[in-house]
Amino acid sequence: MKVGIVGAGMVGSTAGYALALMGLASEIVLIDRNDALAVAQAEDIAHAVPFMSSTVVNAGQYRDLEGAGVVILAAGVSQKPGETRLELLERNAAVFRAVLAEVLPVAPDAILLIASNPVDIMTQITTRLSGIDPRRVIGSGTILDTARFRSLVGRHLGISPQSVHAYVLGEHGDSEVLAWTSARAGSVPLSSFAAQVGSPLTAEVRAQIDDGVRNAAYKIINGKGSTYYGIGAGLARIVKAIARDQRDVLSVSISTPEVAGVRDVALSIPRVVGADGVLADLFPDLDDAEYAALNRSASLLKERADAIPL
Ligand SMILES: NC(=O)C1=CN([C@@H]2O[C@H](COP(=O)(O)OP(=O)(O)OC[C@H]3O[C@@H](n4cnc5c(N)ncnc54)[C@H](O)[C@@H]3O)[C@@H](O)[C@H]2O)C=CC1
Ligand SMILES: CC(=O)C(=O)O
């Protein structure tokens, strides 16, 4: 499968690197308004390929997206220290209007995979602007927050994050919801597993994990300017589900008819992802507080998305 990446900065290039190492694409095309950057990133990634795979990595122009199965959209501005994702909205909406006008005519059948922030609203905007089936316009959503959640829970319990089945729901951002009630380790409810291994999930431990997940990006941006390894791997993981029609359950964002009482909103819940995009939505069991938090997150996203002129 050919994969296009628009935006060859930190996120786009890291996604390209992860995809190339995993050998998930036959060809990767990197596009950026800064041509020299796209050329340099493609050449650097291509030099890693002989160690791991046979993916062909090139920089290109929009016309080179023809035939792409997936186009990753990672163009635009990123957060400065202290800035929220929502504060990027107007600037990245303008970038997306320009980028989509170029991408859609040459790759009308590609699944669009959105990374730029605020990713849920960028997904909603892309769905509206493109007219593409909403199930083929996928935001990375909380795939990264879910990985952060699983990593911290796994570390607390002394088990692999891959044995933790827990999801972050709602906005990829400050209002996100850690779904503790439905979380499992192996097949055991999380609190039961924690008690059995002598590492109880006290209110204090939960608060620390919540803070570690919710504020991870702020801390990393303060330390090194931006985050990219986590989302690069997350984007490659979504492409893998699509390229191999794996039907994986992933927390990704698409425009959804109704979530927690809010209509027509893009946000994350667990969804089945395969070759045709999102194949099914899954609504986890939530307690009253989690449901109310998901309703607040959905309402906030809907209000901000509806206020953006197309
Ligand atoms: N979804 C997620 O979990 C995450 C999302 N992000 C978001 O990803 C986006 C990209 O972040 P970085 O790669 O760190 O930023 P970056 O500044 O390194 O790269 C952005 C690239 O977009 C290009 N660009 C800007 N306008 C363009 C246009 N009109 N056409 C083509 N290219 C254009 C720039 O030249 C630049 O190379 C940001 O919005 C950031 O907030 C970052 C980390 C995680
Ligand atoms: C920047 C961003 O969205 C993240 O690392 O979560």
Side-chain angles (χ1 to χ4, degrees), residues 118-154:
V119 68
D120 303 289
I121 304 179
M122 300 313 300
T123 302
Q124 187 81 51
I125 290 172
T126 303
T127 305
R128 286 194 208 137
L129 283 173
S130 67
I132 294 174
D133 177 350
R135 299 195 163 269
R136 297 175 66 83
V137 181
I138 304 175
S140 58
T142 57
I143 194 152
L144 177 55
D145 317 77
T146 288
R148 289 168 174 157
F149 189 19
R150 292 176 180 195
S151 163
L152 292 177
V153 169

Side-chain angles (χ1 to χ4, degrees), residues 6 8 66 83-84 88 92 94 98 125-126 169 178 198 219 232-234 236 244 257 273 279 287 289 294 296 304:
V6 182
E66 192 176 347
E83 201 172 21
T84 69
L88 308 175
N92 281 346
I125 290 172
T126 303
L169 314 177
L178 278 64
K219 290 174 190 162
R244 298 194 179 157
V273 181
L279 308 175
D287 67 17
L294 186 57
R296 281 195 298 278
R304 293 297 301 264

Side-chain angles (χ1 to χ4, degrees), residues 22 52 101 106 115 143 156 162 165 188 208 218 233 266 292 296 298 305:
M22 290 162 76
M52 303 296 282
V106 284
I143 194 152
H156 176 73
Q162 298 197 3
H165 308 287
V188 182
Q208 277 170 0
Y218 292 113
R296 281 195 298 278

